[in-house]
Amino acid sequence: MKTRIAKLMCEEALQTEEGASVIEEAGEIIRRGGLVAFPTETVYGLGADAVNKAAAKKIYEAKGRPSDNPLIVHIAYISQLAEIAGKISPEMKALSDAFWPGPLTMIVNQREGEPLIPRETTGGLSTVAVRFPSHPIANALIRESGRMIAAPSANLSGRPSPTTGQHVIEDLDGKVDMIIDSGSVDIGLESTIIDLTGDVPMVLRPGYITRDELSKVLGAVELDPAVAGIEGSAPPKAPGMRYRHYAPKAHLTIVEKKSDLAESLQERIINEALTAMEKGLKTAIICADENAHLYEGLENVKVYDIGRFSDDDEIAGNLFSVLRKCDEDGMERIFSEGFDTPRLGGAIMNRLLKAAGHDILEI
Ligand code: TXA
Ligand code: MG
């Protein structure tokens, strides 16, 4: 398939004739049942008409995604949530007032009677994931298409979520009808998912909106015990959190300092990296910007500065592209510092731990 790649760099571009025609073209593709990759504020999404069964199937094929892993339905009017759920509960209202449009996905029950969103989109579940993104291009596309748009992250299954148009092109060129390239996204981590179908609201995937922020609006909010790493808990409730997640081609180990031994975290990482390098492995270190100078002058070990520890927005924004870069650079062994920052540390470490297959070296 020939993929049409359209560059639409910023909100102002939407106001131009060319920008408007890109959105018209993309909306038409969605209405015909085709696939359009588009930017959101979190990561790029791979969109199709959420109520078109054949179109939803195409998403799974293009990504190589297991068909029991449900898609998020993207909306651009609150009334669309009511169409899906049958009514807006007080919890939905409170959350949408506080966080929509934005990086929050709500899991809700479908309306009684004939469900609107087909099983092909919900992975066979009776519940649906709904998100109202804030990115102007995402909104323009949903509105122009006149549909709700089902969209997973626009990566091949098993690769990190795409945070630039270039990442999407690498993974999906030739597999989808259109890619709207709008450069780098704002946040860089997928949305927070909150399940509203149980007795107590539960975070199924940590993201930019934290559990504390959700609690301020809802009162008690639980975290899926499997995601919290509690041993012996049931599998994660979000099917996508069960799959072996993205792992870089290299063996990645997170090194954390838990004792008061004299050896510093950085000394240990340097020793581990030099040992790997001497074995002939292409070796890398991932570190916070504040520590980058401590690794200067290491020969044949590549250092990736992921951003400032004091600014976890920056680390969140760079995480997936640094992991992609390690693959591109042919790295075989990676040692990473932990980035358990006060606000986004939970979400960042959730993604990094998966990439490391939970390989942690505690010193
Ligand atoms: O930020 C985001 O959420 C991005 C952008 C494109 O909006 N989308 C995204 O989609 O990350 P995806 O498909 O990569 O992740 C969706 C997650 C999966 O873990 C899936 O299992 C879960 O949402 N999910 C979807 N519907 C669900 C449901 N009814 N119940 C539980 N989990 C659900
Ligand atoms: Mg994904």
Side-chain angles (χ1 to χ4, degrees), residues 38 44 57 85 106 117-118 145 204 228 250 254 276 313:
F38 62 97
Y44 277 76
K57 275 198 180 149
M106 299 184 208
I117 307 297
S145 71
L204 306 189
I254 301 167
D313 282 3

Side-chain angles (χ1 to χ4, degrees), residues 253-258 265 268-269 272 333 335-336 358-363:
T253 302
I254 301 167
V255 187
E256 287 192 327
K257 183 144 168 83
K258 291 280 156 89
L265 178 72
R268 181 58 178 267
I269 290 181
E272 296 285 338
R333 190 76 180 94
F335 298 92
S336 178
H358 289 263
D359 183 18
I360 307 175
L361 174 62
E362 283 184 3
I363 62 165

Side-chain angles (χ1 to χ4, degrees), residues 35 46 57-64 156 172 175-176:
L35 301 185
L46 175 58
K57 275 198 180 149
K58 284 189 199 164
I59 291 183
Y60 289 93
E61 275 164 27
K63 282 189 55 122
L156 288 177
L172 296 178
K175 297 191 164 74
V176 302

